[in-house]
Amino acid sequence: MSGASTLRLGAAQAIGQTRFEARAATRETPLVKWLILGTALTFFAVFLLMPLIAVFVEALRKGWETYLSALIDPDALSALRLTLLATWCSACARRGRSPSSSSAASTS
């Protein structure tokens, strides 16, 4: 991408700006660009990574044995099956076919 940013084209070449700097959205100072990037990464860490870490810490608080025994509980296995079924049905619906027709097509 660095090669593309030094390429001069059209109107941008006439005013001495590179291709990406010719657009108003990319004409920010490096400080503003770093602040926007830092804000986005902070948002990612606070709202996505921290809750995920908290879930795993709580799940593993009593050790791996307790965690694994909870996974083989019949209710947990039923929830996993239901989740996989819903995911499969959703994927089939996105492809424009019903789940029953896709399994019939694969057996014939």
Side-chain angles (χ1 to χ4, degrees):
M1 187 157 164
S2 63
S5 65
T6 59
L7 181 65
R8 297 182 185 275
L9 298 172
Q13 185 178 8
I15 57 175
Q17 295 177 330
T18 59
R19 180 174 85 171
F20 297 115
E21 292 171 348
R23 298 181 183 155
T26 57
R27 238 184 283 145
E28 300 294 340
T29 64
L31 175 65
V32 172
K33 290 178 185 181
W34 281 105
L35 284 174
I36 292 171
L37 180 64
T39 302
L41 290 176
T42 302
F43 181 87
F44 174 74
V46 169
F47 290 103
L48 292 175
L49 293 181
M50 283 182 59
L52 183 65
I53 291 169
V55 165
F56 278 98
V57 166
E58 288 299 317
L60 298 172
R61 184 173 297 267
K62 294 182 182 177
W64 282 99
E65 296 81 20
T66 307
Y67 177 72
L68 292 175
S69 68
L71 281 180
I72 60 171
D73 181 61
D75 288 339
L77 291 174
S78 179
L80 284 171
R81 272 194 235 84
L82 181 61
T83 300
L84 291 173
L85 177 65
T87 304
W88 180 70
C89 288
S90 174
C92 289
R94 288 187 59 157
R95 291 186 179 155
R97 60 179 187 228
S98 67
S100 59
S101 67
S102 66
S103 58
S106 64
T107 58
S108 55

